[in-house]
Amino acid sequence: SSRSCSKAALQRGRMRLSLQEHLWAFYHERVNISPEEQQAARHAALDICAELRAFIHTKVPDMQLRDMYLSGSLYHDLQVVSADHAQLMVPLILEKSLWSFIPGEETIMNLPGFWLVRRENLEYFPRGCSFWDRCLIGGYLSPKSVLEVFEKLVTGSMNWPAIGSVLGYVVRPAVPSHTEALTLSLEVQYDSERRLHVDFLPLLVSEDGVSLIGKPHRERENLWRQSFWSAETTKLLTLDRDDNGCRCVCLKIAKAVCKLNPALTPLNASHLANAVLLLSESERDWSREALAERFTQLIRALVGHLEAGRLPCALDPKVNLLCELTPREIDELGYTLYCSLSDPESLLRT
Ligand code: GDP
């Protein structure tokens, strides 16, 4: 029986080895983006950012903004499949005495991870004292209304055909699909077959260092979303750097699987990055040899989170990252991933 036992172990070893090989092949062939392609996309994004800066600076000099900057997975080699999007961060300046940040759990909605931004002192500093008063809805700063201000500027008053022809690109405001939350984005065709989406992301930073982004809650458009993105990204990169680990490779493979498989698209970078961070708390070995085991564990962990209807944010466990998905979406995601557990390679056949 010890013989059959070792035979089984050998077979398991072979299976693992082959999943391991498949994962690395998939990573090199489908997931990873060449440095040249990343460079070209970053270059186009930078050109667009410069145009927007100059335009806003001359046309709306009183708009209370800090310098806009580019950000996202494209800048940390965490983007997958194709270099097709970047975020343009637009930091608003809010007067300290006129605005306060109210955490979602202290509101009637009881939603950790989302915040209201309330206008204060209206009796002494009436509406109009702050540039951003034009975006008040019911006494609160509305991310939707902030996005609309930019939309008017960017799609209404900038001459993109002319700007594009000078830069050698085709630029057009991208129309969000009706299934998407409100977004503002420019589509930049910078090469006959390459397109880049530059997404506007208004940003607020509180005195206590809480970052909020203007990507409203799916149903409650007045709520600002707390961003853990910088801290999460830094943590992943640091952990990998310290032990020469494969967390980012594992994350990128999972991102590519979700990007290429329509049944899994509701799982986004934040869900996956946090699942990897949570797994990193219990698993120490992230050497390259452990990739297949960690990947399989990641899928199993995701099935568990989906079954529980709860995926805590690794940096603030009271935030449930699944809170915007419908029970039906959660069921379907859980089912698809559960079915893949017996044959994880099936996820790579896209
Ligand atoms: P990817 O877009 O799937 O490759 O993954 P990213 O890591 O670039 O995630 C980008 C998403 O995170 C965007 O949809 C943003 O809305 C959201 N996000 C939240 N906070 C931030 C932030 O501070 N910077 C950026 N770039 N994105 C953020």
Side-chain angles (χ1 to χ4, degrees):
S1 99
S2 92
R3 206 175 136 175
S4 71
C5 179
S6 69
K7 204 170 147 197
L10 198 67
Q11 232 162 26
R12 265 204 311 276
R14 261 196 214 123
M15 272 172 58
R16 215 177 287 150
L17 192 66
S18 85
L19 175 60
Q20 177 86 356
E21 285 167 346
H22 274 93
L23 286 169
W24 281 107
F26 182 72
Y27 178 75
H28 291 300
E29 286 157 21
R30 300 291 305 277
V31 180
N32 204 31
I33 306 170
S34 75
E36 295 75 30
E37 184 179 342
Q38 294 187 43
Q39 191 51 39
R42 287 196 284 250
H43 188 93
L46 204 55
D47 282 342
I48 296 299
C49 178
E51 290 296 330
L52 284 160
R53 262 192 198 143
F55 183 85
I56 290 177
H57 197 73
T58 44
K59 290 288 146 66
V60 216
D62 60 332
M63 188 184 262
Q64 295 288 312
L65 286 186
R66 271 177 238 295
D67 233 353
M68 298 188 266
Y69 60 92
L70 290 157
S71 155
S73 52
L74 184 58
Y75 298 87
H76 301 278
D77 195 18
L78 286 171
Q79 200 153 103
V80 297
V81 185
S82 62
D84 56 10
H85 64 283
Q87 280 78 45
L88 180 65
M89 308 306 289
V90 186
L92 313 194
I93 298 174
L94 295 183
E95 302 82 352
K96 268 185 222 139
S97 53
L98 301 189
W99 305 92
S100 64
F101 289 53
I102 302 159
E105 58 270 38
E106 288 172 21
T107 69
I108 188 166
M109 291 159 283
N110 190 19
L111 258 181
F114 290 86
W115 295 64
L116 283 170
V117 177
R118 189 170 61 206
R119 177 66 155 84
E120 304 291 350
N121 278 325
L122 270 167
E123 52 297 16
Y124 297 111
F125 301 96
R127 213 181 153 118
C129 285
S130 168
F131 179 90
W132 296 111
D133 282 346
R134 67 197 66 196
C135 300
L136 285 178
I137 294 185
Y140 295 93
L141 185 67
S142 156
K144 182 168 184 246
S145 173
V146 169
L147 279 168
E148 280 163 0
V149 165
F150 287 104
E151 190 185 16
K152 272 201 206 104
L153 270 175
V154 171
T155 72
S157 24
M158 289 186 79
N159 186 352
W160 287 111
I163 297 168
S165 77
V166 171
L167 296 172
Y169 307 141
V170 180
V171 186
R172 42 180 114 71
V175 186
S177 75
H178 60 275
T179 55
E180 255 178 302
L182 183 75
T183 51
L184 173 56
S185 130
L186 286 170
E187 187 193 272
V188 186
Q189 190 171 344
Y190 60 97
D191 174 303
S192 59
E193 70 230 64
R194 286 189 181 157
R195 280 167 197 211
L196 174 79
H197 276 88
V198 180
D199 307 322
F200 274 69
L201 211 50
L203 174 70
L204 308 176
V205 182
S206 82
E207 280 193 278
D208 311 321
V210 175
S211 293
L212 305 181
I213 53 167
K215 186 179 176 187
H217 182 276
R218 218 173 176 185
E219 280 153 21
R220 302 168 193 271
E221 293 173 338
N222 256 6
L223 290 175
W224 291 78
R225 182 184 304 264
Q226 186 167 357
S227 169
F228 300 95
W229 186 89
S230 294
E232 285 161 8
T233 305
T234 308
K235 186 150 186 202
L236 269 169
L237 296 173
T238 315
L239 285 170
D240 259 6
R241 198 172 307 131
D242 287 350
D243 62 2
N244 197 14
C246 69
R247 296 168 193 81
C248 291
V249 170
C250 189
L251 169 63
K252 285 170 74 178
I253 294 175
K255 277 172 65 167
V257 163
C258 294
K259 189 171 182 171
L260 295 168
N261 183 340
L264 295 173
T265 45
L267 285 178
N268 62 30
S270 149
H271 297 131
L272 299 172
N274 279 283
V276 171
L277 284 173
L278 292 172
L279 191 57
S280 297
E281 289 171 11
S282 56
E283 284 301 334
R284 295 276 159 252
D285 178 11
W286 287 86
S287 59
R288 291 168 72 90
E289 297 71 43
L291 178 65
E293 238 173 293
R294 294 295 90 83
F295 180 77
T296 315
Q297 255 180 327
L298 176 66
I299 303 299
R300 205 175 303 125
L302 283 167
V303 170
H305 293 306
L306 289 160
E307 267 172 4
R310 192 169 168 77
L311 169 54
C313 171
L315 300 170
D316 186 350
K318 66 180 182 301
V319 175
N320 178 11
L321 298 171
L322 300 180
C323 75
E324 281 170 284
L325 299 180
T326 64
R328 169 128 193 231
E329 283 172 322
I330 292 181
D331 270 358
E332 287 175 354
L333 288 167
Y335 179 74
T336 306
L337 287 180
Y338 176 79
C339 292
S340 78
L341 280 177
S342 58
D343 179 18
E345 267 174 51
S346 64
L347 291 171
L348 313 181
R349 283 181 228 116
T350 52

mmCIF file of all heavy atoms in Angstrom, residues 304-332:
data_model
loop_
_atom_site.group_PDB
_atom_site.id
_atom_site.type_symbol
_atom_site.label_atom_id
_atom_site.label_comp_id
_atom_site.label_asym_id
_atom_site.label_seq_id
_atom_site.Cartn_x
_atom_site.Cartn_y
_atom_site.Cartn_z
ATOM 1 N N GLY A 304 -14.868 30.410 -1.290
ATOM 2 C CA GLY A 304 -15.281 30.561 0.108
ATOM 3 C C GLY A 304 -15.845 31.951 0.397
ATOM 4 O O GLY A 304 -16.906 32.089 1.016
ATOM 5 N N HIS A 305 -15.144 32.972 -0.073
ATOM 6 C CA HIS A 305 -15.624 34.350 0.142
ATOM 7 C C HIS A 305 -16.991 34.533 -0.509
ATOM 8 O O HIS A 305 -17.883 35.154 0.054
ATOM 9 C CB HIS A 305 -14.654 35.366 -0.477
ATOM 10 C CG HIS A 305 -13.318 35.425 0.210
ATOM 11 N ND1 HIS A 305 -13.176 35.627 1.560
ATOM 12 C CD2 HIS A 305 -12.052 35.315 -0.284
ATOM 13 C CE1 HIS A 305 -11.882 35.644 1.874
ATOM 14 N NE2 HIS A 305 -11.184 35.449 0.772
ATOM 15 N N LEU A 306 -17.142 34.000 -1.721
ATOM 16 C CA LEU A 306 -18.410 34.173 -2.439
ATOM 17 C C LEU A 306 -19.531 33.421 -1.724
ATOM 18 O O LEU A 306 -20.651 33.925 -1.613
ATOM 19 C CB LEU A 306 -18.265 33.714 -3.890
ATOM 20 C CG LEU A 306 -17.403 34.655 -4.760
ATOM 21 C CD1 LEU A 306 -16.882 33.955 -6.008
ATOM 22 C CD2 LEU A 306 -18.183 35.906 -5.149
ATOM 23 N N GLU A 307 -19.213 32.232 -1.218
ATOM 24 C CA GLU A 307 -20.225 31.468 -0.482
ATOM 25 C C GLU A 307 -20.683 32.228 0.745
ATOM 26 O O GLU A 307 -21.862 32.238 1.079
ATOM 27 C CB GLU A 307 -19.664 30.104 -0.063
ATOM 28 C CG GLU A 307 -19.974 29.030 -1.074
ATOM 29 C CD GLU A 307 -19.251 27.725 -0.771
ATOM 30 O OE1 GLU A 307 -18.559 27.636 0.270
ATOM 31 O OE2 GLU A 307 -19.377 26.807 -1.603
ATOM 32 N N ALA A 308 -19.708 32.883 1.408
ATOM 33 C CA ALA A 308 -20.046 33.644 2.612
ATOM 34 C C ALA A 308 -20.649 35.002 2.267
ATOM 35 O O ALA A 308 -21.153 35.706 3.141
ATOM 36 C CB ALA A 308 -18.791 33.827 3.460
ATOM 37 N N GLY A 309 -20.556 35.399 0.999
ATOM 38 C CA GLY A 309 -21.058 36.717 0.605
ATOM 39 C C GLY A 309 -20.211 37.834 1.169
ATOM 40 O O GLY A 309 -20.641 38.976 1.295
ATOM 41 N N ARG A 310 -18.980 37.495 1.533
ATOM 42 C CA ARG A 310 -18.146 38.477 2.215
ATOM 43 C C ARG A 310 -16.681 38.323 1.843
ATOM 44 O O ARG A 310 -16.094 37.256 2.002
ATOM 45 C CB ARG A 310 -18.336 38.241 3.715
ATOM 46 C CG ARG A 310 -17.771 39.329 4.532
ATOM 47 C CD ARG A 310 -18.114 39.348 5.973
ATOM 48 N NE ARG A 310 -17.181 40.331 6.510
ATOM 49 C CZ ARG A 310 -17.332 41.634 6.372
ATOM 50 N NH1 ARG A 310 -18.398 42.117 5.801
ATOM 51 N NH2 ARG A 310 -16.412 42.471 6.813
ATOM 52 N N LEU A 311 -16.116 39.397 1.307
ATOM 53 C CA LEU A 311 -14.678 39.442 1.023
ATOM 54 C C LEU A 311 -14.149 40.689 1.710
ATOM 55 O O LEU A 311 -14.332 41.804 1.214
ATOM 56 C CB LEU A 311 -14.421 39.473 -0.493
ATOM 57 C CG LEU A 311 -13.003 39.774 -0.988
ATOM 58 C CD1 LEU A 311 -11.980 38.852 -0.367
ATOM 59 C CD2 LEU A 311 -12.935 39.661 -2.508
ATOM 60 N N PRO A 312 -13.555 40.527 2.904
ATOM 61 C CA PRO A 312 -13.120 41.723 3.625
ATOM 62 C C PRO A 312 -11.925 42.383 2.942
ATOM 63 O O PRO A 312 -11.081 41.706 2.371
ATOM 64 C CB PRO A 312 -12.727 41.194 5.004
ATOM 65 C CG PRO A 312 -12.619 39.724 4.890
ATOM 66 C CD PRO A 312 -13.282 39.285 3.630
ATOM 67 N N CYS A 313 -11.897 43.699 2.992
ATOM 68 C CA CYS A 313 -10.738 44.437 2.515
ATOM 69 C C CYS A 313 -9.582 44.118 3.459
ATOM 70 O O CYS A 313 -9.719 44.200 4.686
ATOM 71 C CB CYS A 313 -11.070 45.926 2.541
ATOM 72 S SG CYS A 313 -9.661 46.976 2.235
ATOM 73 N N ALA A 314 -8.426 43.762 2.905
ATOM 74 C CA ALA A 314 -7.297 43.329 3.730
ATOM 75 C C ALA A 314 -6.810 44.454 4.646
ATOM 76 O O ALA A 314 -6.243 44.205 5.702
ATOM 77 C CB ALA A 314 -6.158 42.828 2.852
ATOM 78 N N LEU A 315 -7.046 45.697 4.265
ATOM 79 C CA LEU A 315 -6.539 46.817 5.045
ATOM 80 C C LEU A 315 -7.593 47.417 5.968
ATOM 81 O O LEU A 315 -7.298 48.280 6.792
ATOM 82 C CB LEU A 315 -6.001 47.903 4.105
ATOM 83 C CG LEU A 315 -4.860 47.426 3.208
ATOM 84 C CD1 LEU A 315 -4.543 48.458 2.152
ATOM 85 C CD2 LEU A 315 -3.632 47.115 4.038
ATOM 86 N N ASP A 316 -8.840 46.977 5.818
ATOM 87 C CA ASP A 316 -9.911 47.453 6.682
ATOM 88 C C ASP A 316 -11.040 46.429 6.636
ATOM 89 O O ASP A 316 -11.954 46.530 5.822
ATOM 90 C CB ASP A 316 -10.400 48.825 6.203
ATOM 91 C CG ASP A 316 -11.414 49.418 7.165
ATOM 92 O OD1 ASP A 316 -11.866 48.702 8.083
ATOM 93 O OD2 ASP A 316 -11.768 50.603 6.989
ATOM 94 N N PRO A 317 -10.959 45.431 7.544
ATOM 95 C CA PRO A 317 -11.840 44.266 7.457
ATOM 96 C C PRO A 317 -13.334 44.584 7.572
ATOM 97 O O PRO A 317 -14.147 43.742 7.211
ATOM 98 C CB PRO A 317 -11.402 43.382 8.632
ATOM 99 C CG PRO A 317 -10.139 43.964 9.145
ATOM 100 C CD PRO A 317 -10.001 45.349 8.641
ATOM 101 N N LYS A 318 -13.692 45.772 8.044
ATOM 102 C CA LYS A 318 -15.134 46.021 8.119
ATOM 103 C C LYS A 318 -15.727 46.334 6.740
ATOM 104 O O LYS A 318 -16.936 46.319 6.559
ATOM 105 C CB LYS A 318 -15.472 47.108 9.142
ATOM 106 C CG LYS A 318 -14.992 48.498 8.829
ATOM 107 C CD LYS A 318 -15.417 49.443 9.956
ATOM 108 C CE LYS A 318 -14.993 50.884 9.674
ATOM 109 N NZ LYS A 318 -13.521 51.047 9.493
ATOM 110 N N VAL A 319 -14.847 46.580 5.757
ATOM 111 C CA VAL A 319 -15.325 46.839 4.401
ATOM 112 C C VAL A 319 -15.526 45.506 3.674
ATOM 113 O O VAL A 319 -14.608 44.702 3.580
ATOM 114 C CB VAL A 319 -14.313 47.704 3.633
ATOM 115 C CG1 VAL A 319 -14.745 47.889 2.181
ATOM 116 C CG2 VAL A 319 -14.127 49.050 4.313
ATOM 117 N N ASN A 320 -16.741 45.273 3.214
ATOM 118 C CA ASN A 320 -17.020 44.068 2.433
ATOM 119 C C ASN A 320 -16.976 44.405 0.941
ATOM 120 O O ASN A 320 -17.836 45.115 0.431
ATOM 121 C CB ASN A 320 -18.395 43.505 2.807
ATOM 122 C CG ASN A 320 -18.736 42.270 1.985
ATOM 123 O OD1 ASN A 320 -17.883 41.715 1.280
ATOM 124 N ND2 ASN A 320 -19.986 41.834 2.078
ATOM 125 N N LEU A 321 -15.970 43.869 0.263
ATOM 126 C CA LEU A 321 -15.771 44.241 -1.143
ATOM 127 C C LEU A 321 -16.821 43.633 -2.073
ATOM 128 O O LEU A 321 -16.876 43.975 -3.248
ATOM 129 C CB LEU A 321 -14.363 43.831 -1.590
ATOM 130 C CG LEU A 321 -13.226 44.522 -0.821
ATOM 131 C CD1 LEU A 321 -11.884 43.901 -1.171
ATOM 132 C CD2 LEU A 321 -13.211 46.017 -1.116
ATOM 133 N N LEU A 322 -17.662 42.738 -1.529
ATOM 134 C CA LEU A 322 -18.711 42.159 -2.377
ATOM 135 C C LEU A 322 -20.038 42.904 -2.235
ATOM 136 O O LEU A 322 -21.037 42.522 -2.841
ATOM 137 C CB LEU A 322 -18.929 40.681 -2.022
ATOM 138 C CG LEU A 322 -17.725 39.751 -2.187
ATOM 139 C CD1 LEU A 322 -18.104 38.330 -1.784
ATOM 140 C CD2 LEU A 322 -17.219 39.773 -3.633
ATOM 141 N N CYS A 323 -20.033 44.002 -1.443
ATOM 142 C CA CYS A 323 -21.317 44.602 -1.070
ATOM 143 C C CYS A 323 -22.107 45.188 -2.240
ATOM 144 O O CYS A 323 -23.305 45.364 -2.134
ATOM 145 C CB CYS A 323 -21.134 45.649 0.033
ATOM 146 S SG CYS A 323 -20.416 47.185 -0.535
ATOM 147 N N GLU A 324 -21.432 45.461 -3.367
ATOM 148 C CA GLU A 324 -22.201 46.018 -4.483
ATOM 149 C C GLU A 324 -22.707 44.959 -5.457
ATOM 150 O O GLU A 324 -23.448 45.277 -6.387
ATOM 151 C CB GLU A 324 -21.349 47.016 -5.261
ATOM 152 C CG GLU A 324 -21.263 48.361 -4.583
ATOM 153 C CD GLU A 324 -20.220 49.214 -5.258
ATOM 154 O OE1 GLU A 324 -19.014 48.958 -5.029
ATOM 155 O OE2 GLU A 324 -20.592 50.085 -6.033
ATOM 156 N N LEU A 325 -22.265 43.724 -5.301
ATOM 157 C CA LEU A 325 -22.727 42.679 -6.214
ATOM 158 C C LEU A 325 -24.101 42.177 -5.770
ATOM 159 O O LEU A 325 -24.399 42.134 -4.576
ATOM 160 C CB LEU A 325 -21.730 41.513 -6.251
ATOM 161 C CG LEU A 325 -20.321 41.847 -6.743
ATOM 162 C CD1 LEU A 325 -19.437 40.604 -6.737
ATOM 163 C CD2 LEU A 325 -20.373 42.435 -8.143
ATOM 164 N N THR A 326 -24.923 41.802 -6.731
ATOM 165 C CA THR A 326 -26.240 41.264 -6.378
ATOM 166 C C THR A 326 -26.066 39.798 -5.950
ATOM 167 O O THR A 326 -25.089 39.150 -6.349
ATOM 168 C CB THR A 326 -27.197 41.302 -7.585
ATOM 169 O OG1 THR A 326 -26.674 40.420 -8.598
ATOM 170 C CG2 THR A 326 -27.321 42.698 -8.160
ATOM 171 N N PRO A 327 -27.010 39.274 -5.166
ATOM 172 C CA PRO A 327 -26.921 37.859 -4.753
ATOM 173 C C PRO A 327 -26.788 36.941 -5.967
ATOM 174 O O PRO A 327 -26.064 35.947 -5.936
ATOM 175 C CB PRO A 327 -28.254 37.625 -4.028
ATOM 176 C CG PRO A 327 -28.686 38.964 -3.568
ATOM 177 C CD PRO A 327 -28.162 39.957 -4.565
ATOM 178 N N ARG A 328 -27.445 37.291 -7.033
ATOM 179 C CA ARG A 328 -27.397 36.472 -8.244
ATOM 180 C C ARG A 328 -25.990 36.472 -8.840
ATOM 181 O O ARG A 328 -25.462 35.423 -9.218
ATOM 182 C CB ARG A 328 -28.424 37.053 -9.232
ATOM 183 C CG ARG A 328 -28.320 36.502 -10.595
ATOM 184 C CD ARG A 328 -29.648 36.002 -11.101
ATOM 185 N NE ARG A 328 -29.408 35.213 -12.298
ATOM 186 C CZ ARG A 328 -30.054 35.403 -13.419
ATOM 187 N NH1 ARG A 328 -31.012 36.315 -13.472
ATOM 188 N NH2 ARG A 328 -29.774 34.649 -14.466
ATOM 189 N N GLU A 329 -25.364 37.656 -8.931
ATOM 190 C CA GLU A 329 -23.991 37.734 -9.442
ATOM 191 C C GLU A 329 -23.049 36.912 -8.571
ATOM 192 O O GLU A 329 -22.189 36.189 -9.064
ATOM 193 C CB GLU A 329 -23.514 39.193 -9.479
ATOM 194 C CG GLU A 329 -24.075 39.993 -10.636
ATOM 195 C CD GLU A 329 -23.753 41.490 -10.540
ATOM 196 O OE1 GLU A 329 -23.776 42.048 -9.418
ATOM 197 O OE2 GLU A 329 -23.496 42.092 -11.585
ATOM 198 N N ILE A 330 -23.232 37.040 -7.255
ATOM 199 C CA ILE A 330 -22.375 36.311 -6.320
ATOM 200 C C ILE A 330 -22.528 34.808 -6.516
ATOM 201 O O ILE A 330 -21.551 34.060 -6.588
ATOM 202 C CB ILE A 330 -22.688 36.742 -4.865
ATOM 203 C CG1 ILE A 330 -22.240 38.193 -4.667
ATOM 204 C CG2 ILE A 330 -22.008 35.825 -3.858
ATOM 205 C CD1 ILE A 330 -22.452 38.745 -3.285
ATOM 206 N N ASP A 331 -23.782 34.358 -6.656
ATOM 207 C CA ASP A 331 -24.053 32.934 -6.902
ATOM 208 C C ASP A 331 -23.374 32.451 -8.170
ATOM 209 O O ASP A 331 -22.762 31.387 -8.207
ATOM 210 C CB ASP A 331 -25.559 32.715 -7.089
ATOM 211 C CG ASP A 331 -26.235 32.421 -5.771
ATOM 212 O OD1 ASP A 331 -25.517 32.363 -4.753
ATOM 213 O OD2 ASP A 331 -27.465 32.268 -5.777
ATOM 214 N N GLU A 332 -23.514 33.232 -9.235
ATOM 215 C CA GLU A 332 -22.987 32.795 -10.523
ATOM 216 C C GLU A 332 -21.462 32.745 -10.525
ATOM 217 O O GLU A 332 -20.863 31.818 -11.052
ATOM 218 C CB GLU A 332 -23.514 33.700 -11.646
ATOM 219 C CG GLU A 332 -24.983 33.415 -11.903
ATOM 220 C CD GLU A 332 -25.631 34.344 -12.928
ATOM 221 O OE1 GLU A 332 -24.971 35.303 -13.389
ATOM 222 O OE2 GLU A 332 -26.811 34.106 -13.241
#
